[in-house]
Structure formats: structure tokens, C-alpha cells
Amino acid sequence: MTTTPPPTSAAAPARVLPVLVIAQFAGTSLWFAVNAVMPDLQRAFGWPATAVGTLTSTLQTGFIAGTLFFALLAIADRFPARAVFLVCTLAGAACTVGAWATISHYGALLAWRFASGFFLAGIYPVGMKIASQWFPRGLGPALGMLIGALILGSASAHALRAIGGDTLPWQSIMIGVAALVAAGGILLYAALPEPPHAVAHVSTLQWRALAAIGTDARVRSSVLGYFGHMWELYTMWVLVPMVLATRLEGLALSWTAFAVLGGGAIGCVVGGALAPRWGSARVAGTQLAISGLCCLLAPWLIQATDVLFYAWLLLWGITVSGDSPQFSALTARNAPPHAVGSVLTLTNSIGFAISSLSIVLFVQLSEHMPLGWLITGLAIGPALGLWALRPLWRERA
């Protein structure tokens, strides 16, 4: 099969990146839609504190199943990416409405969250594939903006909770998230055409291309670094509200959680701006090292003065997410061109399997260990990720 080289970043119309950013922000607001209203649900239905970990890991498991399905059937490479993104955002919105309608039944809620995770597999990785088609030569900065939007989107439910305060019921928050998700998919499909020189769609499964994750040294380096990052990232997102609850409650907790988790967008955008000069591997490695240090210092900083406590959490929030776009850029840049979507999706699948295991383990241990010492265990991921990145560290930007 012959392919045509994708366009340079200069060929992309000015509207492409803003539309991608807004659509990704809206689509990924699905991620923590239930987490933000969990205090209300626990009061209403008597659910245990560990319910938030179970619901999060259930969504992650759905995402794993979805990414495996999308990768093994090469969905993102066989069909127009815009259409896949649209269908999955509409389906994800419908799942959130379904969760709202059956919210009192915990088993049904778990099923809806699993389905939401499944359809997120057609939003997050597919959005990155679309970016890689439009911005092959400026992928680090473009993915910095795109995944920054994902971080804000994932944290947006906490902002909705804070904005609404006690006057906005949890039902309205869930319906608002569903509307936002659907709007993102419609916007992207209506406002963007297919990239003019997109790689031709494949008609068969690309087993050899998927095997590049293990056989190509450069792809393997970025992928293993990403896996170390995923051990830490989403477990940190689940633990941060628990950490904040040691000092805050109510609206103050919701606003602070949004600031800490949403701070990752700063790390994504700044890292993207530095990538052309430093190289994606150095940007990712530097942020991974800082976030790992934040984990190791947790036993002392969780008991520190307010200034040090909040500065620690904000720095951790910025760096724990800020390396993500550069790992994706490295993988997309080095993967076989005709299978970028499938390679990214399979990498996400394995990474989220790691994060799901981490979430379940750390939430369970949180009932038996002090939070500060528990958090030090997250540093294992950054340490292994830095070791994996060594082959790419010395590459020129």
C-alpha cells in the first residue's frame, strides 16, 4: 500500500487546533462526571468511601476493553477519524444520561460507567490521531494543547460542582456533562474536514505495525515511559480529593481539586512549547522526575504549612499530566505511519490497564495506611519511566 505524506503544520487552517482543543475538552468531560458528584451520591444512597475507586476503575476497565477493540480491529485507521469521534461522543453522552436515569442502582451505574469508558476509547486516542494528521511536524506543541484540553475536560466536572454550589443538584451536573460531550463531537465533525493528505485507510489488521510496540527500540522506549507515567497519573487524580479532605470540605474542596487537577493543562502547554527546543523525551523526562519527587516528599508535605501543602499539590498536578502529550508525540512520530491510530490506541489500552490496577490497589491500601506514606508508592512509576526513556533522552529536538 502506498501512502501520501501528511501535511505540514503550516498547511492546517487556523481553525483546526482551536476546534480540536474545544472538542477534546468537551468529549473528555465524560471521564470524571460521576466522581465530582460522589459526595452527594454517598449521602443519598449510603455508598461506602471506596465506591469512588470502584467506579473509577470500572470506567478505566471499559476504556481498556474499548481500546483493545478499537486497536485490534483498527477502527481508527479503517474509518474516517472524524466519524469515529462523533459516534463515540454521542454514545458517551447517552451513557451519561443512562447513568443519571438509573443512578440509585449501583450495579447499573457500574455498567454505564464501563460503557462510558469503552466509548472514551474513540475520543481520546482518536483525537490524538487527528492531531497527528494535521500537525506531523509540530506534534509536540499541538498535543500539548490537545491533552491540556483533555486534562481540563476531565477536571471540569469538579468545576461544575463548585460553580453550582449547593443550588445545582447532581442530576443537573450529569445532564450538563452529557450535553457538553455531545456538543464536542458535533463541533469537530461539522467544523473540520478530513485532513487533505491523510494516510490512506487500511483494509486489513496491522499486526506487524502493532508489534512495533515491542520490536522497535524507539517506540518501545516511549511506550514503557508512558506506562510508568500511567502507574501514577490516574491514581493521583483519585487520591487528591482524599488529600484535600484532610483540610477542606464542600465548595472549597471542589475548587481546589479543579485547580490541582486542571493545573496539568499548564504542564501540557508549557511542555509543548519547550518540546521544539528541548525535544519531547527531555520534556517528558523532566516532568516525570518532578512528579516522582512530589510522590517521595508526600509524607512530609502533607503535614506542612498551608503554603507548602498547596504549592506541593499544584506542582504535582502540573507535572503529573504535563509529560503525557510528549509521550504520545514520541509514539505517534515513531510508529508506522499507516497504523498510528491503532498503535496509540493499543498503547492507551495497556497504560490504562496499569492505571486501573494502581487505582484499585491504592484505594484499598488507603484504608490501612497513612496517605502520605501511601503516595510514595506512586514514585515507582516515574522511576521506571525515566529508566525506559534513556535511549531517547540524548536525541536532538
Side-chain angles (χ1 to χ4, degrees):
M1 178 183 66
T2 60
T3 60
T4 303
T8 65
S9 57
R15 71 180 185 279
V16 170
L17 188 56
V19 167
L20 277 172
V21 166
I22 294 170
Q24 189 82 316
F25 167 80
T28 54
S29 63
L30 185 65
W31 221 297
F32 287 92
V34 172
N35 295 53
V37 298
M38 273 304 294
D40 296 324
L41 300 181
Q42 287 168 325
R43 285 192 296 269
F45 306 117
W47 293 344
T50 55
V52 65
T54 304
L55 283 166
T56 303
S57 62
T58 298
L59 183 136
Q60 306 288 74
T61 304
F63 185 84
I64 295 162
T67 47
L68 279 175
F69 177 84
F70 277 65
L72 295 180
L73 296 184
I75 299 295
D77 295 312
R78 299 172 91 174
F79 302 100
R82 293 165 53 249
V84 174
F85 192 95
L86 173 64
V87 169
C88 289
T89 51
L90 295 178
C95 289
T96 302
V97 173
W100 161 78
T102 59
I103 197 77
S104 61
H105 302 284
Y106 187 66
L109 180 59
L110 288 174
W112 284 118
R113 293 307 283 165
F114 178 91
S116 298
F118 184 93
F119 290 113
L120 272 165
I123 298 173
Y124 170 30
V126 174
M128 290 194 295
K129 176 188 174 168
I130 296 171
S132 73
Q133 291 178 328
W134 280 108
F135 303 98
R137 303 188 192 282
L139 191 55
L143 285 184
M145 295 288 291
L146 196 64
I147 299 183
L150 180 151
I151 300 300
L152 285 177
S154 299
S156 63
H158 289 287
L160 282 174
R161 169 80 285 176
I163 292 170
D166 297 326
T167 62
L168 186 63
W170 58 262
Q171 295 93 332
S172 299
I173 293 173
M174 293 186 69
I175 294 300
V177 167
L180 186 62
V181 173
I186 294 169
L187 171 67
L188 186 142
Y189 190 81
L192 293 187
E194 284 292 301
H197 302 292
V199 173
H201 300 305
V202 302
S203 57
T204 59
L205 302 188
Q206 302 297 302
W207 298 109
R208 184 175 298 177
L210 291 177
I213 292 174
T215 59
D216 185 292
R218 300 176 82 249
V219 176
R220 184 171 62 245
S221 179
S222 63
V223 165
L224 291 177
Y226 171 76
F227 292 163
H229 152 82
M230 289 299 286
W231 172 262
E232 177 193 14
L233 175 62
Y234 282 95
T235 303
M236 180 269 194
W237 278 51
V238 171
L239 294 179
V240 158
M242 298 183 190
V243 173
L244 290 173
T246 63
R247 303 195 185 202
L248 299 172
E249 60 183 14
L251 298 184
L253 192 156
S254 294
W255 275 121
T256 309
F258 173 72
V260 170
L261 304 183
I266 299 172
C268 291
V269 173
V270 172
L274 292 173
R277 178 180 300 177
W278 288 14
S280 290
R282 290 188 179 186
V283 171
T286 299
Q287 298 206 58
L288 196 61
I290 295 172
S291 68
L293 183 61
C294 287
C295 297
L296 293 175
L297 293 176
W300 297 276
L301 292 177
I302 202 171
Q303 303 177 49
T305 63
D306 282 352
V307 171
L308 287 176
F309 175 80
Y310 293 116
W312 161 59
L313 284 179
L314 184 58
L315 179 63
W316 194 16
I318 289 171
T319 55
V320 75
S321 305
D323 49 2
S324 187
Q326 303 314 315
F327 284 122
S328 298
L330 288 167
T331 301
R333 189 176 298 130
N334 296 321
H338 59 282
V340 169
S342 296
V343 170
L344 284 172
T345 304
L346 182 59
T347 301
N348 285 159
S349 180
I350 300 170
F352 276 84
I354 293 169
S355 77
S356 184
L357 172 65
S358 177
I359 289 169
V360 171
L361 175 64
F362 280 84
V363 169
Q364 293 296 326
L365 289 176
S366 68
E367 297 186 327
H368 308 287
M369 289 181 63
L371 272 175
W373 289 105
L374 176 64
I375 289 169
T376 61
L378 291 177
I380 295 170
L384 294 176
L386 287 168
W387 176 83
L389 271 179
R390 290 178 304 159
L392 298 177
W393 183 262
R394 294 182 177 85
E395 288 190 355
R396 295 176 64 87

